Amino acid sequence: MKKEKILRIVSGLCIGAGVGLCFGISMNNVIVGVLGGLGVGLCYAVAFSHFSK
């Protein structure tokens, strides 16, 4: 894998963790929120690194 793809995946995971933390605080369950956010962030990162040139 190229360095750019790895950085996109890591940045997607970090964005997902941040969003998941906000959802987790609002749901009063931080662990579930962060795990859900990481899942969404991973999907976003893989799709972004796959479709961008």
Side-chain angles (χ1 to χ4, degrees):
M1 292 183 79
K2 293 184 181 179
K3 188 187 294 185
E4 292 176 5
K5 287 190 177 188
I6 293 172
L7 288 175
R8 287 180 183 159
I9 290 173
V10 170
S11 66
L13 286 174
C14 292
I15 291 169
V19 171
L21 185 63
C22 294
F23 283 139
I25 290 171
S26 68
M27 293 187 308
N28 292 328
N29 196 347
V30 176
I31 296 173
V32 173
V34 170
L35 290 177
L38 285 175
V40 171
L42 183 63
C43 292
Y44 172 75
V46 169
F48 184 68
S49 65
H50 180 71
F51 292 117
S52 64
K53 292 184 179 181

